[in-house]
Amino acid sequence: MSQDAFRLTSPDGKVSDLPVRKGTIGPDVVDISTLYREQGVFTYDPGFVSTGSCASEITFIDGEEGVLMYRGYPVEQLAKHSSFIEVSYLLLHGELPTATQLEEFDRTIRMHTMLNEGMLNFFKGFRYDAHPMAMLSAVVGSMSAYYHDTTNAADAAHRDIFAHRILAKLPTIAAAAYKLNIGQPFMYPRNDLNYCENLLHMFFAVPAEPYEIDEVAAEALDLLFILHADHEQNCSTSTVRMAGSSGANPYSAIAAGISALWGPAHGGANEAVLSMLEEIGDTSQIGKYVAKAKDKNDPFRLMGFGHRVYKNFDPRATIIRKMAHKVLKKLGRKDTPLFDLALELEQVALKDEYFIEKNLYPNVDFYSGIIYRALGIPTSMFTVMFAIGRSVGWTAHWREMITDPSGKISRPRQLYTGSAQRDYLAIDKR
Ligand code: SDX
């Protein structure tokens, strides 16, 4: 047996040498693609806890060491020195842009922020209190009904224009959903503003008076988008890859990712954290809720805690916690009671045996909502903000999947536990 193979011997002695594939860094993988043909068995891994679904060059995570890198660059360095638009270029193209490339990319994004005017009619049909994630997934899915000129995945120019449209238009769609929820008129994007300034303008400006953009708010948003931009094969990214693997048009694949992100176990957690903090109310109730989170018979979980991969601090949570402090102070927001409650809850949980034993640390969602709220963004919009940041990661993974020469449609198998064959029974015999 070669040293780069796992030898598998079946109960009746059949031997398979399964090749080991090595990445640049991180765990090796055992290639089991011949297993069924050789051994007549499937592997079984609900939730894909130990399963690599693809090879990727985009993002690396080390859950034990709390490492997150985009195209090899540590997220801490990108958070400190880069911008969301520059990080978006890096994720999409694999290299940091030159000054000229960045200027061209930034200009392209600014020129694609408007929606086809017909798309605005959707917002006349939604209920005023429709959840923004429902509107985002619906309107992004409708992009395939408008942009027929860029659905040929084999055409590199189409792939680029699709990427530009998703990145540029999501803030505009998000802002239209927000304006519907608060009964204010939609504000058109402005090409003279950068990505985050434009989002703040579309969210908070009104036709009745000039709106002054708060640079601290724009900077905080930019950092949050960098930290949310990508995260390897998480649930929503895997959904985009799977939907795209059938050859479905890319806008529909992104809409599928938005829907997957909405769940409270995933991107919906930031909204759930704020609701949980408000339910806890004050520090005197922390013990009761930590006990509920530990009680096997109680479905309550401490939202914003735990992670499938990070069994140490989520590096994003560390950066966001520091920024939350700075933003609250700079914006002079009175929201510190919630932030103080979050800090105290974190301290109590981190000292608790149950959380220590199960490696449950605050994740990216635990503090991000505090900042969004301090910026005046309502809780219902928090997962939409997550989707805006993650849209570039979804797009980068879709491009990597669709251009993979060995790519094929994703179609997992199963362990069948239903009825053995049985014959149809006439209704008078049942
Ligand atoms: C994101 O995958 C990604 O990369 C996601 C993400 C990204 O950038 O894309 O990082 C973004 O989704 C962050 C996670 C946001 N979700 C939450 O904060 C919701 C609360 N967290 C949990 O639901 C949970 O921790 C998950 C979903 C995040 C992870 O679940 P796993 O990996 O499937 O772990 P598990 O459910 O098997 O939990 C292991 C044990 C269980 O106890 P036992 O059955 O072993 O006795 O830990 C317990 C769980 O009950 N547990 C918790 C808990 N999270 C796990 N107990 C109390 N509170 C929690 N939050």
Side-chain angles (χ1 to χ4, degrees), residues 174-197:
Y178 174 56
K179 287 302 203 185
L180 175 79
N181 281 160
I182 59 174
Q184 285 186 359
F186 169 67
M187 294 300 287
Y188 282 90
R190 280 176 40 188
N191 295 348
D192 62 315
L193 299 176
N194 72 30
Y195 196 81
C196 292
E197 291 167 345

Side-chain angles (χ1 to χ4, degrees), residues 105-171:
F105 183 69
D106 181 64
R107 196 189 65 78
T108 303
I109 297 304
R110 287 173 189 241
M111 304 306 283
H112 278 80
T113 51
M114 282 180 69
L115 307 179
N116 178 300
E117 198 66 9
M119 291 171 80
L120 293 176
N121 292 327
F122 286 121
F123 294 94
K124 295 189 178 76
F126 292 128
R127 261 179 63 121
Y128 72 92
D129 57 353
H131 195 290
M133 282 297 281
M135 293 190 265
L136 187 71
S137 59
V139 178
V140 169
S142 81
M143 289 171 80
S144 43
Y146 286 90
Y147 302 117
H148 300 139
D149 61 345
T150 51
T151 51
N152 176 7
D155 182 331
H158 283 207
R159 295 196 296 270
D160 281 347
I161 297 170
F162 152 68
H164 299 152
R165 281 183 169 141
I166 287 291
L167 185 58
K169 294 181 193 306
L170 249 66

Side-chain angles (χ1 to χ4, degrees), residues 49 61 227-228 230-237 261 263-270 272-273 290 292-294 296 300-311 314 316 354-355 357-358 360 363-366 386 390:
V49 177
I61 306 174
L227 297 174
H228 284 80
D230 193 48
H231 213 238
E232 197 220 59
Q233 304 308 320
N234 59 86
C235 176
S236 53
T237 300
L261 184 75
H266 189 17
N270 54 17
V273 165
V290 169
K292 278 169 63 71
K294 292 156 58 174
K296 279 281 148 254
F300 175 79
R301 285 196 163 182
L302 223 43
M303 300 316 279
F305 271 80
H307 198 277
R308 170 64 58 79
V309 176
Y310 291 122
K311 299 308 171 195
D314 180 333
R316 301 167 297 177
Y354 173 92
F355 287 83
E357 183 224 321
K358 293 187 187 295
L360 300 176
N363 58 47
V364 67
D365 292 305
F366 188 61
F386 193 144
R390 185 54 54 87

Side-chain angles (χ1 to χ4, degrees), residues 199-401:
L199 184 145
L200 291 167
H201 157 73
M202 291 189 286
F203 271 47
F204 299 121
V206 288
E209 60 184 29
Y211 171 70
E212 198 187 323
I213 286 156
D214 183 320
E215 285 313 322
V216 172
E219 265 169 54
L221 271 184
D222 199 70
L223 179 55
L224 285 168
F225 287 152
I226 290 174
L227 297 174
H228 284 80
D230 193 48
H231 213 238
E232 197 220 59
Q233 304 308 320
N234 59 86
C235 176
S236 53
T237 300
S238 299
T239 301
V240 170
R241 278 180 171 262
M242 181 169 269
S245 73
S246 73
N249 78 74
Y251 300 103
S252 305
I254 299 295
I258 293 171
S259 301
L261 184 75
W262 195 359
H266 189 17
N270 54 17
E271 180 177 350
V273 165
L274 256 291
S275 310
M276 174 188 74
L277 290 174
E278 285 168 340
E279 185 185 334
I280 294 174
D282 64 63
T283 52
S284 67
Q285 297 302 305
I286 287 180
K288 173 183 147 197
Y289 280 88
V290 169
K292 278 169 63 71
K294 292 156 58 174
D295 178 357
K296 279 281 148 254
N297 302 318
D298 190 328
F300 175 79
R301 285 196 163 182
L302 223 43
M303 300 316 279
F305 271 80
H307 198 277
R308 170 64 58 79
V309 176
Y310 291 122
K311 299 308 171 195
N312 195 319
F313 256 87
D314 180 333
R316 301 167 297 177
T318 309
I319 298 169
I320 292 176
R321 183 197 316 117
K322 279 198 208 106
M323 184 176 62
H325 213 74
K326 184 180 142 196
V327 165
L328 284 169
K329 242 166 82 197
K330 281 211 170 175
L331 292 179
R333 283 286 189 278
K334 300 284 165 284
D335 224 352
T336 48
L338 270 183
F339 183 56
D340 296 342
L341 178 59
L343 285 171
E344 180 61 22
L345 175 59
E346 178 186 16
Q347 290 315 309
V348 170
L350 291 182
K351 292 190 184 78
D352 186 285
E353 211 30 60
Y354 173 92
F355 287 83
I356 295 168
E357 183 224 321
K358 293 187 187 295
N359 298 309
L360 300 176
Y361 291 88
N363 58 47
V364 67
D365 292 305
F366 188 61
Y367 285 104
S368 53
I370 302 255
I371 297 174
Y372 289 137
R373 193 183 170 119
L375 301 182
I377 294 167
T379 309
S380 62
M381 288 293 294
F382 289 1
T383 310
V384 169
M385 302 307 286
F386 193 144
I388 292 171
R390 185 54 54 87
S391 64
V392 68
W394 289 330
T395 306
H397 281 275
W398 176 82
R399 286 157 61 102
E400 184 175 68
M401 176 277 302

Side-chain angles (χ1 to χ4, degrees), residues 57-132:
E57 300 174 356
I58 299 172
T59 292
F60 176 74
I61 306 174
D62 181 323
E64 279 61 44
E65 299 303 318
V67 169
L68 169 58
M69 300 195 297
Y70 296 156
R71 301 285 190 180
Y73 295 98
V75 75
E76 293 81 359
Q77 292 183 28
L78 295 170
K80 192 155 176 247
H81 303 297
S82 189
S83 68
F84 178 59
I85 287 296
E86 183 175 73
V87 165
S88 296
Y89 185 98
L90 170 67
L91 287 168
L92 289 171
H93 298 286
E95 297 298 335
L96 286 170
T98 62
T100 312
Q101 288 167 330
L102 181 58
E103 193 188 332
E104 173 55 26
F105 183 69
D106 181 64
R107 196 189 65 78
T108 303
I109 297 304
R110 287 173 189 241
M111 304 306 283
H112 278 80
T113 51
M114 282 180 69
L115 307 179
N116 178 300
E117 198 66 9
M119 291 171 80
L120 293 176
N121 292 327
F122 286 121
F123 294 94
K124 295 189 178 76
F126 292 128
R127 261 179 63 121
Y128 72 92
D129 57 353
H131 195 290

